[in-house]
Amino acid sequence: MSKVVTRFAPSPTGYLHIGGARTALFAWLYAKSHGGDCLLRIEDTDKERSEDKYTHEIINSFQWLGIEFDQDVVYQSLNANSYNEMIDSLLEMGCAYVCPGNDLEDDKKFREKGLQRDNNTVVRFKMPTEGSTTFNDLVKGELQVSNDQLDDFIIERSDGSATYNFCVVVDDIDSEISHVIRGDDHVNNTFKQINVFKALNAKIPEYGHVPMILGEDGKRLSKRHGALGVGEYAELGILPQALKNYLLRLGWSKGDEEIFTDQEMQVDFKDGTLNQSPATFSMEKLLWFNKHYLDQMTIDQLNDLINVTPFDGGAFANTVLELIRDRCSSVRDFLTLTDYFFEDPHEFDTALIDKHIKEETYQYLDLLLKRFQEIDEWKSENIKEAIEVIVNEQSIGFAKIGLPLRLALTATVNSPSIDLICEVLGKDVTERRLNSFLTKIKG
């Protein structure tokens, strides 16, 4: 087999979204798993909607994901001369014709003898009228359409600019693209493009059309499902390797395996299966992948990753990281779930106060504070024993005192084991916060 060359060709009219990133990953891995190249082509011919900021964001997103394209980035806007030459060739060969471009049925009158080109005319590709166009899709199998269902489409606008379905063919020829992996919303375009390849006597790439990604409600993926631009996932605390691994599993599988290293992805992709049915996006599953990769990190690696005060590699911060890491599914969690370790809580949710603080709770916490003051060695086992003494003496459930204590120290009722929280905070801080809380709620 000749060298495999694939491409990903986004339009810089918006940020790189999750569907585009998944398609790019599949195209890249298909090439890498076959020892080939994958190119990045920026389809920036829509001058009104294309913006440099989107181009930069697309390139930066791929760098963050660790998807390294081969060769220089191709910019479609620089290929106008090549498009014009190819359109001239098609006109000379009788495979295209000049017409007004106002109405397809009227324009077909000019198939045999076109008009003179000027700024009031367009050029249409002359689609074959008999037979059918067939190709073997890498994902969907054999696909076929009767040629009488394919319209003569415009390849040159009245302003002289070439259109999408023609440009991509010329670009694929120029870049010697052997395989095109893209979304299945392009299937109808593929039939058109194959006929342009044939007219230009060029080798037709193999095509693989990947089903779209749906939300968990079965509808087309959107931001309301949690689908964001790639850069926004980084801001949410998602790791690039986690997003990459999750995207891989959105429509591709190899047995029951879930976790793949970069090297395994690049080796195994050709041996896996591309699913024919749409994939379902789940933020919960993405966070599962993210937690897996976070759990593999050392404390030093977590410090480097979080890279904000107070996570500076100090002993106290590292103890906090060890205690909280099991509860964290994103980098952001390390910040939002640890603030009470570094600053006394000042505000308390009135709904939590009403739910967990009853008339008798003051007595339980007063008794517990006295027990705490008597502890010589401030260790979690001694703290836990002090709490259990009050539980037994007052004949109450652990939650009757454990939850109010947790609320007093952290301003939340969701945290690691309260005896461990107390140990990490230290005796002085624990007693001060408990005192302050009692004073505050007693009014």
Side-chain angles (χ1 to χ4, degrees):
M1 185 173 69
S2 58
K3 183 176 181 179
V4 170
V5 182
T6 64
R7 47 78 164 176
F8 178 64
S11 297
T13 55
Y15 297 115
L16 179 66
H17 56 79
I18 199 79
R22 194 272 303 261
T23 301
L25 178 64
F26 283 8
W28 184 71
L29 289 176
Y30 188 90
K32 295 304 161 187
S33 66
H34 287 91
D37 290 346
C38 183
L39 314 182
L40 177 62
R41 181 169 75 220
I42 302 296
E43 298 191 336
D44 56 349
T45 54
D46 188 340
K47 296 177 182 178
E48 290 185 4
R49 298 175 59 219
S50 296
E51 295 186 36
D52 287 343
K53 69 174 182 179
Y54 295 131
T55 298
H56 295 317
E57 189 275 339
I58 290 168
I59 292 172
N60 290 338
S61 293
F62 285 127
Q63 289 176 343
W64 179 76
L65 277 171
I67 296 177
E68 298 179 357
F69 292 98
D70 301 284
Q71 304 179 29
D72 294 333
V73 178
V74 175
Y75 292 91
Q76 204 172 61
S77 58
L78 302 179
N79 285 351
N81 289 339
S82 184
Y83 305 144
N84 292 337
E85 289 174 6
M86 289 293 191
I87 290 171
D88 289 343
S89 296
L90 288 176
L91 287 169
E92 290 173 9
M93 292 185 292
C95 296
Y97 59 97
V98 181
C99 56
N102 297 322
D103 179 82
L104 177 59
E105 291 307 312
D106 288 341
D107 286 352
K108 282 183 177 179
K109 300 172 185 176
F110 299 91
R111 278 178 66 103
E112 300 308 317
K113 187 176 181 181
L115 297 174
Q116 196 73 22
R117 284 161 91 183
D118 58 35
N119 57 10
N120 292 313
T121 62
V122 300
V123 177
R124 286 189 185 272
F125 178 75
K126 191 183 291 186
M127 197 68 71
T129 56
E130 298 180 353
S132 61
T133 300
T134 305
F135 70 97
N136 188 48
D137 192 276
L138 296 169
V139 180
K140 299 175 177 294
E142 185 176 286
L143 297 177
Q144 181 176 346
V145 67
S146 175
N147 284 336
D148 61 14
Q149 299 298 309
L150 300 175
D151 292 330
D152 294 353
F153 64 97
I154 295 173
I155 59 176
E156 183 183 86
R157 303 180 185 91
S158 58
D159 63 3
S161 63
T163 62
Y164 167 78
N165 275 308
F166 183 72
C167 293
V168 295
V169 171
V170 176
D171 292 334
D172 286 346
I173 293 171
D174 288 346
S175 298
E176 300 182 345
I177 301 299
S178 66
H179 295 75
V180 176
I181 311 295
R182 58 186 179 186
D184 62 4
D185 54 331
H186 282 283
V187 168
N188 290 336
N189 289 332
T190 300
F191 291 116
K192 298 177 183 179
Q193 292 165 18
I194 285 174
N195 282 292
V196 177
F197 276 105
K198 289 178 179 178
L200 292 171
N201 295 313
K203 185 176 180 180
I204 302 169
E206 291 189 51
Y207 290 89
H209 292 88
V210 183
M212 68 177 62
I213 304 172
L214 302 177
E216 291 181 286
D217 57 2
K219 296 181 179 179
R220 191 178 184 91
L221 196 62
S222 66
K223 281 200 171 187
R224 63 189 175 86
H225 298 108
L228 310 169
V230 169
E232 292 175 284
Y233 285 102
E235 294 173 7
L236 287 176
I238 301 299
L239 302 175
Q241 57 268 45
L243 183 56
K244 196 176 188 178
N245 199 150
Y246 181 56
L247 291 176
L248 173 70
R249 293 290 288 109
L250 278 178
W252 178 91
S253 61
K254 186 185 178 191
D256 295 327
E257 295 178 57
E258 292 277 16
I259 305 299
F260 294 85
T261 65
D262 275 2
Q263 184 61 29
E264 288 169 341
M265 290 181 193
Q266 295 183 46
V267 171
D268 294 346
F269 190 80
K270 67 179 182 297
D271 300 320
T273 301
L274 284 165
N275 301 341
Q276 294 187 12
S277 56
T280 300
F281 177 86
S282 166
M283 181 60 80
E284 181 180 352
K285 186 68 173 180
L286 173 55
L287 288 171
W288 180 87
F289 276 99
N290 206 53
K291 180 167 174 52
H292 167 81
Y293 285 99
L294 285 171
D295 288 347
Q296 310 308 306
M297 293 185 170
T298 65
I299 290 298
D300 286 343
Q301 288 172 327
L302 286 174
N303 270 308
D304 290 341
L305 180 67
I306 299 169
N307 193 33
V308 296
T309 305
F311 295 105
D312 53 5
F316 180 74
N318 287 350
T319 301
V320 171
L321 282 178
E322 285 285 14
L323 180 59
I324 204 74
R325 65 182 301 168
D326 285 346
R327 307 174 70 85
C328 296
S329 297
S330 73
V331 178
R332 180 180 287 185
D333 286 346
F334 284 100
L335 302 175
T336 59
L337 298 180
T338 59
D339 53 351
Y340 57 81
F341 283 103
F342 305 101
E343 185 176 349
D344 289 358
H346 300 293
E347 300 294 330
F348 296 90
D349 188 327
T350 54
L352 291 178
I353 295 290
D354 292 342
K355 182 177 181 179
H356 298 291
I357 306 299
K358 309 301 180 184
E359 189 64 35
E360 63 273 17
T361 306
Y362 305 123
Q363 176 190 352
Y364 303 153
L365 291 178
D366 277 329
L367 291 170
L368 182 60
L369 181 57
K370 292 175 182 175
R371 283 282 176 185
F372 280 173
Q373 291 168 345
E374 294 170 0
I375 296 176
D376 292 326
E377 188 176 9
W378 191 253
K379 295 291 185 182
S380 62
E381 56 267 27
N382 296 333
I383 297 164
K384 187 175 182 180
E385 182 182 354
I387 298 172
E388 289 175 344
V389 166
I390 304 301
V391 167
N392 293 330
E393 286 180 351
Q394 301 299 314
S395 299
I396 57 176
F398 190 89
K400 291 290 186 180
I401 190 169
L403 288 174
L405 176 60
R406 194 186 301 268
L407 184 57
L409 301 181
T410 70
T412 179
V413 291
N414 295 307
S415 69
S417 178
I418 191 58
D419 53 298
L420 293 174
I421 293 285
C422 291
E423 180 179 346
V424 172
L425 288 174
K427 185 176 182 178
D428 291 344
V429 172
T430 300
E431 292 177 1
R432 183 183 73 239
R433 289 190 184 182
L434 187 49
N435 249 321
S436 174
F437 181 74
L438 285 168
T439 301
K440 189 178 187 73
I441 62 173
K442 285 179 181 178

